[in-house]
């Protein structure tokens, strides 16, 4: 997915950076839950990042900064994947980083995924509903 683009209370504020800090002590690679960073065309995963304790990931948020942890997590029942997410906003952004106007989270199907249960469509619908509710509350 690529993230929502603007602050609901400040329409000119556009999201520029994502900052993630992982809180997973003793996390093993076999548990999965890796953050995947995809290219602009969404046809190649460029990097997989294991969500290890105290690891910080900072990446640019544009209309085409596709990322996520799409694979099922296989950790023990007494553990879970934990992180803190923070966002940095600016007043506007360069046009080459925008291809859309203000938008909610945009979900894309990974190449080779057949998405048999329709989760992508559900996520698209949920993203639109969430964005509209949030606008009305604020």
């Amino acid at each position: 997915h690529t993230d929502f683009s603007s602050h609901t209370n400040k329409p000119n504020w556009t999201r520029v950076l994502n900052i993630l800090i992982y809180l997973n002590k003793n996390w093993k690679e076999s548990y999965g839950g890796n953050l995947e960073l995809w290219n602009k065309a969404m046809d190649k995963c460029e990097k997989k990042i294991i969500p290890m304790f105290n690891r910080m990931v900072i990446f640019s948020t544009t209309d085409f900064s596709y990322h996520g942890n799409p694979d099922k997590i296989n950790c023990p029942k007494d553990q879970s994947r934990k992180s803190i997410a923070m966002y940095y906003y600016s007043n506007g952004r360069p046009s080459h980083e925008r291809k859309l106007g203000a938008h909610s989270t945009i979900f894309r199907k990974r190449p080779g995924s057949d998405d048999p249960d329709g989760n992508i469509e559900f996520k698209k619908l949920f993203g639109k509903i969430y964005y509209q509710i949030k606008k009305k509350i604020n």
Side-chain angles (χ1 to χ4, degrees):
H1 70 274
T2 188
D3 293 318
F4 60 89
S5 62
S6 54
H7 193 287
T8 54
N9 293 334
K10 307 278 186 185
N12 292 332
W13 286 17
T14 55
R15 197 160 153 182
V16 178
L17 289 176
N18 280 3
I19 303 159
L20 303 172
I21 301 173
Y22 291 107
L23 308 171
N24 307 302
K25 289 189 176 177
N26 304 313
W27 193 264
K28 296 181 180 167
E29 189 171 356
S30 62
Y31 296 167
N34 295 340
L35 173 64
E36 295 183 0
L37 302 176
W38 287 72
N39 66 2
K40 185 175 181 177
M42 189 60 203
D43 60 8
K44 181 181 177 195
C45 178
E46 297 288 346
K47 183 79 174 169
K48 290 186 180 187
I49 301 165
I50 301 169
M52 295 169 43
F53 180 72
N54 212 25
R55 176 170 280 168
M56 178 187 288
V57 180
I58 301 172
F59 60 96
S60 176
T61 306
T62 66
D63 288 351
F64 39 82
S65 57
Y66 297 107
H67 63 280
N69 60 310
D71 295 324
K72 185 175 178 173
I73 296 172
N74 297 307
C75 63
K77 292 186 187 281
D78 63 339
Q79 291 189 27
S80 61
R81 184 180 180 275
K82 301 173 208 62
S83 63
I84 296 172
M86 296 168 278
Y87 314 118
Y88 178 80
Y89 293 85
S90 69
N91 189 359
R93 91 178 299 143
S95 60
H96 69 275
E97 294 179 357
R98 304 285 309 260
K99 68 177 181 178
L100 308 167
H103 62 81
S104 61
T105 301
I106 299 169
F107 291 90
R108 297 274 308 267
K109 188 168 116 173
R110 288 184 298 164
S113 169
D114 58 2
D115 191 42
D117 56 3
N119 282 338
I120 297 298
E121 292 306 315
F122 171 78
K123 289 176 181 176
K124 284 181 189 176
L125 176 62
F126 178 76
K128 289 177 185 176
I129 292 169
Y130 173 78
Y131 193 72
Q132 292 302 316
I133 291 170
K134 194 168 182 179
K135 279 175 43 177
K136 289 179 182 178
I137 291 172
N138 294 320

